[in-house]
C-alpha cells in the first residue's frame, strides 16, 4: 500500500506538508471529525489520486486563524484526479476514470440533495447541514491537498470526464470545476446576470475573476470588478472587464464614471467576511461589501453572495463579528426590494454544463484566473504568495501529472 503526503493546517499562519495515512473506506478519528462520523463505513466511496488540487481563498481564512479550524486538519477541497480504488458499493465509477470532485460532499439521498441543494446535504455532517473536504465544521472529511483522498458517495459526487486525453489537454481549465468556476457562476446566476446586464463584482481574487468570466459567458454587457489589489485588477482587465480600485474612493462614483449611472443591474460579493473598507488607508470592515452592493445595485436588483461568511471568527474586529453578526444595512436592501442569495455553491447544479463549455472551447477559465502549478512539496510557497495578494490561482500537482505544455509557472 502506498503512503500519503498531505498539506495540513498547523495553527495560525502555519501549514506543513506531512506524512499521513493512505485512505481507507472508513472515516477515521482525526482533527475536526465529529464523534458521530468516526468509524463511518464508506463502501460507496472511491479513492482518488489528485492530478490537480487547488489552494482556495477559503483555505486562507483558516490558515490566517480566522476560523475555529483545529490544528492537524488536512486541507484542500478543490480536487481533480484519477480514481485508483472503488468501494464494494460503487456501480458506475471505474478505476482509471478522470474526474472532478465537487467541493460539496453530498449523499444524493436526503431531501436537500433530491431537490439539488447538494451544498446543504443532511447526511454527511452530523453537526449541521453541508459537508466539504478539509474544511472547518464540514464533517471532518480529510482534504485533497494530498497524494490520495477518499471521496464518499462516488457514483453521486464524481463528474467523469468523457475523454481522458482531451481532459488532460484542458486540465487547468477543468481543475476549476471543483469550486471556483461553479461558485463564480452561481454568484452571477443568483444575481440575475443575463444578456445585456451591467454587473458589479466585488473582489478580484480567483472567485471574483471566475465570476467575471461567468458574467461574460452569461451575456453581460458590462462587467465591473472592484478590488484594492492593482495586480488582480490588471488580471481582470486582460479578459475584457472594467475595473475600479476601491482604494481610490467610493465605488458608486467610479461606477457612474464608467457607465453613466451610479447603479448596476446585478451585484456579486466575492470577498466575504475579511472585507476592507474603501480609500487609501482602508481597514477591515466586514460589512463593507454587502452594504456597498446594496447601495450600487438598482432597486429590484439581486445580490449573489458566494463570498464566505462564518459564525466563528476568532480574529474579528469586534465581539459581534466574532459570531458573524455584522452591521448590515438591511433596511436599505428592504427599501430597494433586493433579493439576496447566500451560502455555498451547489456545484453539481452547474458543473456538467460548465465542463461542456470548457471542452467545446466556449470558455477559457484558466486564462481568467491565471494559474501557477506547483508540486505538493511547495504548497507552503503557494500559501504564502497567495496570502500576499499574488494575482494567480495556485494549483498543486502532487504526482507530476499535469503536462508541461499546459503549465504556467
Amino acid at each position: 500500500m502506498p503512503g500519503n503526503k498531505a498539506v495540513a493546517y498547523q495553527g495560525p499562519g502555519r501549514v506543513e506538508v506531512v506524512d499521513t495515512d493512505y485512505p481507507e473506506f472508513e472515516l477515521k478519528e482525526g482533527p475536526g471529525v465529529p464523534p458521530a462520523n468516526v468509524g463511518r463505513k464508506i463502501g460507496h466511496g472511491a479513492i482518488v489520486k489528485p492530478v490537480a488540487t487547488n489552494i482556495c481563498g477559503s483555505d486562507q481564512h483558516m490558515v490566517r486563524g480566522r476560523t475555529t479550524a483545529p490544528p492537524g486538519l488536512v486541507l484542500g477541497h478543490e480536487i481533480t484526479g484519477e480514481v485508483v480504488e472503488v468501494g464494494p458499493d460503487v456501480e458506475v465509477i471505474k478505476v482509471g476514470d478522470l474526474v472532478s470532485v465537487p467541493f460539496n460532499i453530498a449523499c444524493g439521498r436526503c431531501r436537500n440533495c433530491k431537490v439539488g441543494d447538494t451544498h446543504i446535504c443532511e447526511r454527511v455532517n452530523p453537526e449541521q447541514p453541508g459537508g466539504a473536504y478539509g474544511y472547518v465544521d464540514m464533517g471532518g472529511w480529510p482534504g485533497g491537498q494530498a497524494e490520495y483522498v477518499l471521496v464518499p458517495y462516488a457514483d453521486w459526487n464524481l463528474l467523469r470526464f468523457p475523454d481522458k486525453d482531451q481532459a488532460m489537454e484542458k486540465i487547468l481549465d477543468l481543475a476549476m470545476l471543483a469550486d471556483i468556476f461553479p461558485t463564480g457562476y452561481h454568484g452571477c446566476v443568483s444575481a440575475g446576470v443575463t444578456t445585456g446586464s451591467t454587473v458589479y463584482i466585488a473582489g478580484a481574487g480567483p472567485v471574483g475573476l471566475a465570476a467575471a468570466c461567468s458574467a461574460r459567458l452569461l451575456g453581460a454587457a458590462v462587467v465591473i470588478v472592484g478590488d484594492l489589489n492593482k495586480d488582480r485588477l490588471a488580471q481582470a482587465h486582460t479578459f475584457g472587464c472594467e475595473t475600479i480600485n476601491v482604494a481610490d474612493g467610493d465605488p458608486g462614483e467610479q461606477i457612474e464614471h464608467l457607465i453613466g449611472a451610479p447603479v448596476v443591474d446585478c451585484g456579486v460579493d466575492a470577498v466575504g467576511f475579511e472585507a476592507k473598507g474603501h480609500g487609501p488607508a482602508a481597514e477591515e470592515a466586514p460589512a463593507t461589501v454587502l452594504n456597498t452592493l446594496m447601495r450600487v445595485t438598482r432597486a429590484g436588483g439581486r445580490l449573489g453572495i458566494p463570498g464566505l461568511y462564518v459564525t466563528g471568527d476568532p480574529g474579528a474586529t469586534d465581539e459581534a463579528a466574532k459570531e458573524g453578526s455584522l452591521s448590515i444595512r438591511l433596511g436599505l436592501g428592504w427599501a430597494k426590494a433586493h433579493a439576496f442569495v447566500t451560502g455555498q455553491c451547489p456545484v453539481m447544479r452547474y458543473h456538467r454544463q460548465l465542463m461542456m463549455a470548457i471542452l467545446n472551447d466556449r470558455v477559457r477559465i484558466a486564462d481568467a484566473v491565471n494559474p501557477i502549478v506547483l508540486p505538493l512539496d511547495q504548497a507552503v510557497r503557494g500559501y504564502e504568495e497567495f496570502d500576499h495578494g499574488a494575482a494567480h490561482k495556485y494549483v498543486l500537482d502532487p504526482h507530476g501529472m499535469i503536462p508541461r505544455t499546459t503549465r504556467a509557472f
Side-chain angles (χ1 to χ4, degrees):
M1 180 180 294
N4 195 13
K5 291 185 181 296
V7 181
Y9 169 66
Q10 302 289 20
R14 293 196 302 120
V15 293
E16 293 180 6
V17 179
V18 301
D19 291 312
T20 188
D21 294 332
Y22 183 83
E24 299 179 27
F25 293 105
E26 179 181 328
L27 189 54
K28 303 287 190 177
E29 185 175 4
V33 182
N37 254 1
V38 175
R40 185 170 179 164
K41 304 299 182 184
I42 316 294
H44 44 68
I47 295 172
V48 171
K49 178 171 74 172
V51 172
T53 176
N54 310 338
I55 298 174
C56 181
S58 297
D59 297 322
Q60 289 284 22
H61 292 309
M62 290 186 289
V63 173
R64 293 185 189 122
R66 298 300 298 270
T67 74
T68 55
L73 180 71
V74 172
L75 302 171
H77 56 269
E78 299 190 16
I79 309 160
T80 308
E82 182 181 16
V83 175
V84 294
E85 291 188 52
V86 296
D89 300 328
V90 175
E91 297 179 353
V92 178
I93 292 295
K94 306 298 183 187
V95 170
D97 285 347
L98 192 62
V99 296
S100 179
V101 185
F103 80 88
N104 319 116
I105 301 175
C107 72
R109 296 154 166 80
C110 71
R111 174 180 177 175
N112 287 342
C113 284
K114 284 180 179 289
V115 297
D117 290 332
T118 54
H119 56 309
I120 44 175
C121 174
E122 297 173 329
R123 297 190 67 246
V124 296
N125 182 358
E127 296 188 335
Q128 65 185 47
Y133 305 90
Y135 209 81
V136 58
D137 297 332
M138 288 284 104
W141 300 90
Q145 288 173 16
E147 292 176 320
Y148 300 94
V149 62
L150 173 66
V151 175
Y153 301 102
D155 283 335
W156 171 249
N157 282 304
L158 294 178
L159 174 67
R160 187 181 71 85
F161 301 138
D163 185 299
K164 200 169 181 178
D165 291 336
Q166 181 193 27
M168 288 303 297
E169 291 174 1
K170 298 177 179 290
I171 193 63
L172 289 180
D173 294 285
L174 295 171
M176 307 308 158
L177 286 175
D179 182 355
I180 65 165
F181 193 11
T183 292
Y185 191 86
H186 177 62
C188 290
V189 169
S190 300
V193 178
T194 188
T195 304
S197 297
T198 56
V199 186
Y200 176 56
I201 295 169
V207 170
L209 295 172
C213 183
S214 299
R216 291 176 60 81
L217 183 63
L218 287 163
V222 182
V223 180
I224 304 168
V225 180
D227 205 294
L228 294 154
N229 184 312
K230 293 181 180 179
D231 291 339
R232 290 179 173 179
L233 290 172
Q235 178 61 27
H237 194 67
T238 64
F239 58 98
C241 300
E242 301 290 345
T243 61
I244 60 173
N245 190 331
V246 299
D248 295 336
D250 182 68
E253 294 178 2
Q254 296 187 66
I255 288 170
E256 185 169 18
H257 178 74
L258 286 171
I259 64 173
V263 293
V264 293
D265 297 319
C266 314
V268 178
D269 175 1
V271 178
F273 73 104
E274 287 193 68
K276 293 184 177 180
H278 306 138
E283 296 182 352
E284 187 168 312
T288 297
V289 169
L290 294 172
N291 289 331
T292 297
L293 285 174
M294 286 187 278
R295 189 159 48 84
V296 304
T297 301
R298 67 173 178 84
R302 292 162 58 181
L303 308 182
I305 308 173
L308 175 68
Y309 289 87
V310 296
T311 57
D313 175 9
T317 54
D318 58 60
E319 291 302 312
K322 289 180 180 180
E323 297 180 347
S325 296
L326 310 181
S327 297
I328 297 170
R329 296 184 64 192
L330 186 59
L332 175 61
W334 189 94
K336 296 179 78 171
H338 283 155
F340 299 75
V341 178
T342 66
Q344 296 178 15
C345 166
V347 171
M348 294 176 71
R349 194 176 297 175
Y350 310 107
H351 66 169
R352 183 173 294 277
Q353 301 96 305
L354 296 178
M355 174 187 74
M356 294 302 293
I358 289 169
L359 294 179
N360 290 283
D361 298 316
R362 293 283 293 130
V363 64
R364 296 180 63 88
I365 184 65
D367 286 351
V369 301
N370 199 20
I372 282 185
V373 178
L374 298 174
L376 190 68
D377 62 11
Q378 291 189 34
V380 174
R381 168 194 158 188
Y383 272 93
E384 289 175 347
E385 291 181 5
F386 190 25
D387 193 45
H388 283 89
H392 294 287
K393 178 67 173 176
Y394 285 86
V395 178
L396 303 178
D397 179 7
H399 299 276
M401 296 177 69
I402 297 178
R404 296 195 66 83
T405 54
T406 69
R407 291 185 178 210
F409 291 93

